[in-house]
Amino acid sequence: MKVIYRDDGVYLENAENFDLAATLDCGQAFRWEPLTDGGWQGIVGSRQLTLRQDGGGILLCGADKADYFSLWKDYFDLDRDYGEVIRAVSADERLARAAAAGSGIRILRQQPWETLCSFIISQNNNIPRIKGIISRLCGLFGEKCGTGYTFPSAERLAECSEEELAPLRAGFRAGYISDAARKVSSGEVDLKGLSALPMDAARERLMTVRGVGPKVADCTLLFGLGFIEAFPQDVWIKRVMAESFNGRLPDCALPYAGIAQQYLFYSAREKK
DNA sequence: CGCCAGGCTTCTA
DNA sequence: TAGAAGCATGGC
């Protein structure tokens, strides 16, 4: 991949193993929206970004070199060689098939609080409704940003009463959001510090939040805290693991378990 | 109407 | 300590 700084934005030429639709709409993030012209639009932190994919490249519309280095390079995990990951996990035949199907997926390095909160909302829920709740959360408590809203901070949400959260229609998850917001904003759960801990310690800490069990913790580790070896097991992955892997991921995939998980999740759901 | 949705907490044996 | 029930809401 070659990075070109142009007047209309930052262009990623020959962006291999990077398919926008697969990456932005595979269930790891809930706030990227397709545009009518094939582009995608989303907000990360306090920055709104529009993305367009043409033949071999991807344009980060309007971004400059400083944006690229301070934010987008990390967010899209562009320092990782996914071709190398695919080669490694493809030592296993079953993973080779899944990786081939999902070869354009990248793991997004999302903001820790947004990730934790989003996956708390995701439990026992379906993706359209998850997106709806998160959209209302941002519209009600986030700040205006371009044509949309930022994800509200833990501090902001910690102030909210039960009645104020009611319009989210988050159901039993509202109390979990409050507890997470309080623990994160008070520093009782120090999200920034967690990425420096061993993964198991970080996981244990996350699970002190009400409504955070193994699955939500693992999603937060993987998508929000940079633990690429985290392996979230939802109903789909559990089914695949039981049916095809005797419950255990092959050794060749262990260092990249989170990426392998996305390939398996993607291919399992594709068949549906 | 019943079932299910990228689960977790609580209750029960 | 394992297993099932209960949990809000909405789409089908």
Side-chain angles (χ1 to χ4, degrees), chain A residues 75-95:
Chain A
Y75 183 82
F76 292 109
D77 201 20
L78 295 175
D79 284 331
R80 191 184 308 280
D81 183 349
Y82 278 73
E84 183 55 41
V85 174
I86 291 171
R87 272 190 293 283
V89 304
S90 293
D92 180 273
E93 187 61 32
R94 300 156 293 187
L95 285 173

Side-chain angles (χ1 to χ4, degrees), chain A residues 118-245:
Chain A
S118 295
F119 280 93
I120 284 172
I121 291 167
S122 80
Q123 68 184 84
N124 192 229
N125 213 341
N126 56 66
I127 289 179
R129 202 167 85 92
I130 296 165
K131 288 181 176 174
I133 294 169
I134 292 174
S135 171
R136 291 189 289 278
L137 183 73
C138 296
L140 285 169
F141 306 113
E143 290 173 21
K144 191 79 185 149
C145 176
T147 58
Y149 294 87
T150 63
F151 195 94
S153 67
E155 288 74 15
R156 175 70 185 90
L157 293 179
E159 296 170 352
C160 290
S161 65
E162 200 174 315
E163 301 79 61
E164 288 175 291
L165 293 181
L168 297 178
R169 281 170 285 150
F172 62 87
R173 306 166 193 84
Y176 298 162
I177 294 171
S178 291
D179 187 61
R182 281 201 314 275
K183 288 192 169 117
V184 168
S185 62
S186 72
E188 186 176 333
V189 172
D190 173 20
L191 282 183
K192 290 202 175 89
L194 291 188
S195 51
L197 296 179
M199 184 168 77
D200 289 344
R203 187 174 195 259
E204 199 174 313
R205 202 87 195 99
L206 286 170
M207 287 176 61
T208 63
V209 176
R210 282 181 59 78
V212 177
K215 163 64 170 52
V216 171
D218 285 341
C219 285
T220 306
L221 292 172
L222 177 59
F223 303 124
L225 293 172
F227 288 98
I228 208 72
E229 67 274 36
F231 190 68
Q233 296 202 44
D234 58 38
V235 289
W236 293 90
I237 294 294
K238 281 179 180 164
R239 192 177 309 150
V240 172
M241 291 307 289
E243 285 174 1
S244 306
F245 291 90

